[in-house]
Amino acid sequence: MRWLRRALIFVPALVVLALVSGWLLLRASLPQLEGNAPVSGISAAVDIERDSLGTVTVRGRNRLDVAYALGYVHGQERFFEMDLLRRRAAGELSELIGAATLAADRSARLHRFRHRAEGFLQALPTAQRQQLQAYGAGVNAGVEALAARPFPYLLLGQAPSPWTEQDSLLAPLAMYFDLQNSMNTRELKLTQMRAALPTASFAFLTAAGTEWDAPLQGAALPDPPFPAMQELDLRSTEIAAPPVDAPPSSEGIGSNNFAAAGSLSPHGGAILANDMHLGLRVPNIWFRVELSYADTQGEPRVITGLSLPGTPFVVVGSNRHVAWGFTNSYGDWLDFFELKLDPQDPNRYAGVDGWESLQSVVETIQVRGAADEQLTVRESSLGPIVAESPDGKPLALSWTAHHAEAVNASLADMEGAQTLEQALEVAHRAGIPAQNALIASSDGRIAWTIMGRIPRRGAGSNPQFPLDPSVPGNRWQDWYDSAEIPTVVSPDSGRLWTANARVVDGDPMAMIGDGGYTIGARARQIRDDLMASRTLSEADLLKIQLDDQAVFLTRWQELLIKTLEPTGEPRLIALREALADWNGRASAESKAYRLVRDFRLRVHRRFLQLFEAPLLAKYPDWTWPSLPQIEGVVWKTIQERPPHLLPKNFASWDAWLLAAAGDTLDRLDASKTPLDQATWGQLNTSAIRHPLSAALPLIGGLLDMPAQPLDGDQYMPRVQGPRFGASERMVVAPGHEYRGYLHMPGGQSGHPLSPYYGAGHADWAAGKPTPFLPGTAEHTLTLVPRTDRAP
C-alpha cells in the first residue's frame, strides 16, 4: 500500500513534469521578435519588423544584408517546411519521416536533383550565388539562435541539417513537382490510348478545346466529329453501370490572374490580380514580406509581396514600378524518347550518330527506422529512363527541370525592373516552372507572356507522343530567345486574363504545347466579368476573384431538371425536389449545386464507358488520364444523341441520362449522406492541416485550421476544395500599392505558440480584403554585426 500511495503521487507528478518540460521546450523554439541579435555575415544593422498579421518588413543597407536577414527570419519561422521542400525535390523525405514517403523518394531520385543542383549552382552568375550564400548563412544563423530546435524536430526526435546554397535551388525545384507531371504519366496514358483505340475515337476523346475557350489570341475550337458507325457501334452492346466509387476523369484545376490597363482604372494605374491555387496546408506555402534596401547605385528599392521560404526573393508582388503574378501554363515541358536498345548490348541505344551508352547510377535512400534502400537509375543523354512504352521499350524523359537554363535565381531581378520591357526580359530568362505571367507597369500598361525557359524542338517533331532519338530533328535544339517567346502587350480591350487554359493559337500554341491545360470555362467567366465593366478598380478585381457563380453548370442544372421531369420513381422525385434551392452559385448551403455537379460527373463517367472496352482488353488495370477538354464532346453527344453510340440496354438517351441521375443518388447512399443533408458545404469543407497533425493523437487537431464549409469550386474564379484553393489573393497597382489587397490561408508563422500562427486565415476564408502593404510594426528585431558588440 505504501508503494501504491507513492506511485499515485509520483506518476501524476512525472506526467506534469513531462508536460511542463515539453511546454518549455516548445516555447524555447519560438522565433525572436524583438531586441538585438548579434550575427556574423552582414555589413550593417538590419531591422526586421512584424505587423499584426506577422508580415515581415526587412530594412537593410544592401541586397545581401536583406537576403541574410530574410534567411534568418525564414529559418526561425519556417525551417521545417523549407526542409520538406528540399527533401521533396532531392528524394530525401524518408530520412526524416520514414518508410511512409519511400514511394515519393523513389520517384524523385530518378531525376537525381541533389546531383544536378550542384551543376545548376555552378552555372549561376556571381551575384545570384552571393545572394544564395548570404541567405543560407542567415537561415543557419536563425536556426542556431533558437533556444531549442524547431518544434517539428522535437516531435520527430531529429535534428535539422544545415541549409546550403544548393538547397535554395532544390526548394523551387519542389515547385516543378507541384506544377508539372514529373513522370509524364499523362503523355504515357495518351500513348496507350492511341495504341488501343480506333483513330477517330482517340481524336474524339482528345479534342484540343471546347466552346468554352477564351484565349487571349484566337477563337474557340470546334468539336471533332463523332466516330463513324463502322468504327464504333454500341447498339448491340450492353454496358453495365460503373462502380459507385468509380472516379470520373480529372479535369485539372489551377490559378487565376488578370489585369486591367490604367485607362480603365479610377486612378490611371494598371491593376493586377493574382490568386495562385495550390494544395493548402498550415502554415501557408508563401510568406508575406516587404524588402527595403539600396541598389548598387544607391537608389532605394522597396518590394512587397510573397516569398517562398527556402529562397531569398519575392515570388509575386510589386516593386512600385511593375507588379507581376503567375498561373501555371500547363504547357508541354516534358518529352518521352523511345529507346531502341542494341540486341547485342542492352546498355546501348540507337542515337543520331550510332549507338549511345546508358549509364547506371546507384542512389542510396536513407530511411528513418529502417535499412537503407538502393535504387539504380539508368540515364541516357536525353534524361533518365522512367517508364516503358506500350510495346515494352524503355522511355527516357527530357524535362526542362533537368537543365541549368531552366533552374536559376533570375526571378530576383524582377525587384529591379522599372519598365514593362525590363520585366518581360527578366521573365524570359527566369529559371522557374514555365508560367503564364501577367505584368502591370506604373505607366498603365499590361502584358502577358510565358515566364520560364521554352525548349526549341526540331521542326516536324510531335512531342505529344514518344519520339525517336535517332532522328536529329526530334531532340531539343536549344532554348527560345526572349524576342521569340509569345507575348501580348497592351491589348486593345485593356484587359488580360489567364486561368490555366489555352491562351494563344497557331505557332505560339505549338511552341508552348499542350501539357493538359484545363477547360476554358473559368477563363471565360473571368473575361466576361472583366468585359462587363467600363471601369475597374481594385475592389472590382477582388470581387471577380471571389465570383462563385455557377455559369458553367447552369446548362447541366437545366438538363437534370428536364431529365427528371417525367420520372415517377420516388427517389428520383426526391432528387428533383432537392434541386429547388438552386441559386446559380456554388454556395456552401446549396444542395442543388452539389447534386448538379455530381450528375455531370456521373454522365462523364458513363460516357467514358462507351469507349473503355478496347482499353480494358489491352490494359486490364486501365484508369483514365486527365481529359480536361472532354466536356465539349460529352455535351455534343447529349445534344445530338447519335444512335450508334447508345448501348443496347438503354431504350433512349433519356434513359441513359436518368441512369446517371440514379448514380448520383447511389453515391450519396454509399457515403451514408441523407439527401436532405447533402449540401455543397458538407462535401466542400476545408481540411487545411499541419503536416504533423495526423501523427499527434488527441492534440493534433489543434495545429490545423478550423474546418469550414466553403463557397466556390473549380469551375469558377473562386476555386475552392477542402485541401486546394487560392494560396493567396493579391490585387495591386504598381505605384498605388496602398489601394491593394493581399490575403492568404494557413497563417504566416509555423510555430503554434506564435501570435502569427494562422494569422489572416479567417479573412481569407471569408474573402475579407486585408491591405497589400504591411501595417504598423508591432515588433522590431534588429540584426547587428557581431563586431558592434551589441548588448
Side-chain angles (χ1 to χ4, degrees):
M1 292 297 297
R2 187 163 58 248
W3 285 106
L4 179 60
R5 284 195 296 270
R6 289 177 179 175
L8 291 174
I9 294 172
F10 288 134
V11 170
L14 288 173
V15 171
V16 171
L17 181 61
L19 290 173
V20 170
S21 298
W23 179 261
L24 291 175
L25 274 174
L26 191 59
R27 286 195 59 80
S29 64
L30 272 166
Q32 182 180 353
L33 302 183
E34 295 183 322
N36 289 348
V39 297
S40 301
I42 56 175
S43 66
V46 182
D47 288 332
I48 300 170
E49 301 171 355
R50 288 174 170 86
D51 69 3
S52 61
L53 292 175
T55 304
V56 167
T57 299
V58 181
R59 305 184 193 277
R61 172 187 288 178
N62 56 50
R63 187 59 178 93
L64 292 182
D65 285 355
V66 166
Y68 183 100
L70 184 60
Y72 191 95
V73 173
H74 282 170
Q76 292 208 334
E77 294 276 15
R78 294 287 195 90
F79 189 83
F80 178 65
E81 291 74 29
M82 295 162 55
D83 196 8
L84 294 181
L85 283 178
R86 65 175 172 179
R87 289 177 181 274
R88 173 68 183 97
E92 298 169 354
L93 287 168
S94 300
E95 181 182 6
L96 181 68
I97 306 297
T101 54
L102 261 175
D105 281 350
R106 291 186 192 113
S107 175
R109 282 297 179 96
L110 293 173
H111 303 284
R112 302 187 65 221
F113 279 135
R114 174 66 71 182
H115 166 76
R116 294 180 193 275
E118 179 58 37
F120 298 165
L121 188 66
Q122 299 303 322
L124 293 182
T126 300
Q128 292 183 15
R129 286 205 64 174
Q130 289 175 338
Q131 274 200 43
L132 298 189
Q133 289 168 352
Y135 177 81
V139 169
N140 292 326
V143 174
E144 291 167 6
L146 295 172
R149 58 190 141 167
F151 90 93
Y153 297 94
L154 295 172
L155 295 175
L156 293 169
Q158 300 267 46
S161 300
W163 195 260
T164 68
E165 296 170 66
Q166 293 94 326
D167 293 335
S168 287
L169 294 178
L170 286 169
L173 273 167
M175 298 305 295
Y176 271 92
F177 283 89
D178 267 0
L179 299 172
Q180 297 174 9
N181 186 333
S182 64
M183 300 298 283
N184 210 21
T185 52
R186 182 176 182 273
E187 184 174 318
L188 181 58
K189 285 282 190 178
L190 292 177
T191 302
Q192 293 172 325
M193 286 174 63
R194 187 176 67 162
L197 292 172
T199 301
S201 294
F202 177 76
F204 190 62
L205 295 174
T206 56
T210 74
E211 64 185 282
W212 293 95
D213 292 349
L216 299 178
Q217 292 181 337
L221 299 176
D223 296 322
F226 291 112
M229 187 183 306
Q230 294 82 354
E231 181 177 288
L232 181 63
D233 188 349
L234 299 176
R235 290 176 296 176
S236 60
T237 302
E238 292 192 4
I239 298 180
V244 173
D245 60 349
S249 169
S250 169
E251 297 177 287
I253 44 181
S255 310
N256 305 320
N257 61 6
F258 41 100
S263 58
L264 303 175
S265 76
H267 47 70
I271 312 174
L272 170 73
N274 187 213
D275 43 302
M276 298 181 287
H277 303 151
L278 295 166
L280 304 179
R281 69 180 194 196
V282 181
N284 191 33
I285 189 170
W286 310 117
F287 191 86
R288 293 184 64 160
V289 295
E290 181 167 283
L291 308 181
S292 178
Y293 61 94
D295 66 16
T296 54
Q297 283 74 46
E299 295 298 319
R301 285 186 183 174
V302 181
I303 305 95
T304 309
L306 297 166
S307 64
L308 174 67
T311 65
F313 39 79
V314 173
V315 176
V316 297
S318 175
N319 68 4
R320 278 54 179 174
H321 302 288
V322 297
W324 63 98
F326 310 137
T327 69
N328 197 21
S329 65
Y330 284 95
D332 187 2
W333 315 120
L334 305 93
D335 285 344
F336 274 136
F337 288 86
E338 186 174 83
L339 305 186
K340 298 176 183 176
L341 299 182
D342 182 355
Q344 307 302 318
D345 183 355
N347 291 314
R348 300 198 309 173
Y349 63 95
V352 174
D353 299 316
W355 297 112
E356 296 184 18
S357 296
L358 289 169
Q359 305 297 321
S360 293
V361 180
V362 177
E363 291 279 315
T364 300
I365 303 175
Q366 295 181 323
V367 186
R368 179 189 177 199
D372 293 351
E373 181 173 303
Q374 307 293 315
L375 178 71
T376 299
V377 180
R378 301 182 74 200
E379 288 195 319
S380 70
S381 63
L382 304 144
I385 294 174
V386 302
E388 287 186 349
S389 67
D391 56 0
K393 292 186 176 67
L395 294 175
L397 182 67
S398 287
W399 187 11
T400 54
H402 293 157
H403 298 267
E405 292 87 348
V407 184
N408 59 44
S410 294
L411 181 59
D413 295 341
M414 289 295 285
E415 297 175 7
Q418 297 192 27
T419 67
L420 194 68
E421 289 72 22
Q422 290 174 359
L424 288 169
E425 189 275 330
V426 172
H428 295 157
R429 57 182 168 84
I432 66 171
Q435 302 289 292
N436 288 311
L438 289 192
I439 302 167
S441 61
S442 57
D443 62 4
R445 294 184 297 154
I446 56 177
W448 163 85
T449 193
I450 293 292
M451 177 178 277
R453 304 306 302 273
I454 301 179
R456 189 189 303 274
R457 296 176 169 100
S461 67
N462 182 2
Q464 288 185 300
F465 305 105
L467 300 165
D468 181 353
S470 66
V471 177
N474 281 345
R475 296 189 178 218
W476 292 6
Q477 311 298 307
D478 51 26
W479 305 86
Y480 282 102
D481 297 326
S482 179
E484 300 173 280
I485 294 176
T487 302
V488 176
V489 178
S490 300
D492 292 341
S493 71
R495 300 162 174 88
L496 290 170
W497 59 91
T498 80
N500 312 114
R502 181 174 63 88
V503 178
V504 290
D505 63 0
D507 290 342
M509 184 62 225
M511 182 189 298
I512 296 168
D514 178 4
Y517 53 79
T518 192
I519 189 170
R522 185 158 37 91
R524 191 171 102 173
Q525 190 163 335
I526 292 170
R527 179 202 66 187
D528 293 348
D529 284 347
L530 289 169
M531 296 296 183
S533 299
R534 296 181 61 183
T535 61
L536 292 161
S537 66
E538 284 83 351
D540 293 327
L541 268 61
L542 178 62
K543 183 178 179 181
I544 294 174
Q545 289 179 322
L546 298 174
D547 179 7
D548 60 11
Q549 295 178 87
V551 175
F552 178 63
L553 285 185
T554 295
R555 68 183 187 181
W556 285 92
Q557 184 261 352
E558 295 168 354
L559 176 65
L560 181 54
I561 291 288
K562 183 178 178 181
T563 298
L564 294 172
E565 277 177 356
T567 185
E569 187 177 343
R571 71 176 197 144
L572 293 177
I573 292 173
L575 174 59
R576 185 176 62 206
E577 292 172 349
L579 299 176
D581 73 352
W582 175 264
N583 62 2
R585 296 176 50 239
S587 304
E589 67 276 8
S590 172
K591 295 189 292 293
Y593 181 83
R594 175 177 176 175
L595 297 170
V596 170
R597 181 186 192 272
D598 193 72
F599 169 67
R600 172 181 174 271
L601 295 177
R602 297 312 109 206
V603 170
H604 274 224
R605 186 64 190 89
R606 282 186 175 264
F607 174 83
L608 290 174
Q609 279 190 297
L610 305 179
F611 302 87
E612 222 163 38
L615 290 160
L616 290 172
K618 192 173 181 66
Y619 317 111
D621 58 349
W622 173 256
T623 57
W624 289 94
S626 172
L627 298 171
Q629 310 305 323
I630 202 172
E631 167 76 11
V633 294
V634 173
W635 194 255
K636 175 187 175 80
T637 301
I638 293 170
Q639 296 304 300
E640 300 185 26
R641 306 193 172 199
H644 65 288
L645 294 185
L646 181 67
K648 176 184 177 181
N649 48 319
F650 293 97
S652 66
W653 281 103
D654 287 333
W656 186 84
L657 288 168
L658 202 60
D663 294 344
T664 291
L665 292 174
D666 292 341
R667 292 270 294 177
L668 291 180
D669 292 343
S671 65
K672 296 181 170 56
T673 304
L675 184 59
D676 62 355
Q677 296 177 25
T679 64
W680 174 232
Q682 191 265 345
L683 186 67
N684 199 43
T685 296
S686 63
I688 303 173
R689 295 170 178 157
H690 190 278
L692 295 181
S693 66
L696 295 173
L698 301 179
I699 63 171
L702 298 175
L703 297 176
D704 301 333
M705 293 298 101
Q708 297 172 264
L710 295 173
D711 299 334
D713 194 10
Q714 70 190 67
Y715 311 115
M716 55 201 58
R718 188 170 190 165
V719 171
Q720 188 60 66
R723 296 179 177 85
F724 188 94
S727 62
E728 50 78 38
R729 295 190 190 100
M730 177 181 78
V731 181
V732 61
H736 303 269
E737 285 77 7
Y738 67 95
R739 298 174 181 266
Y741 306 122
L742 176 61
H743 60 209
M744 67 181 198
Q748 178 87 332
S749 177
H751 199 293
L753 299 185
S754 168
Y756 305 121
Y757 190 81
H761 177 84
D763 291 335
W764 169 87
K768 177 183 176 182
T770 52
F772 177 80
L773 292 176
T776 303
E778 289 187 342
H779 302 281
T780 301
L781 169 68
T782 301
L783 304 185
V784 295
R786 198 171 294 279
T787 53
D788 287 358
R789 305 297 180 192

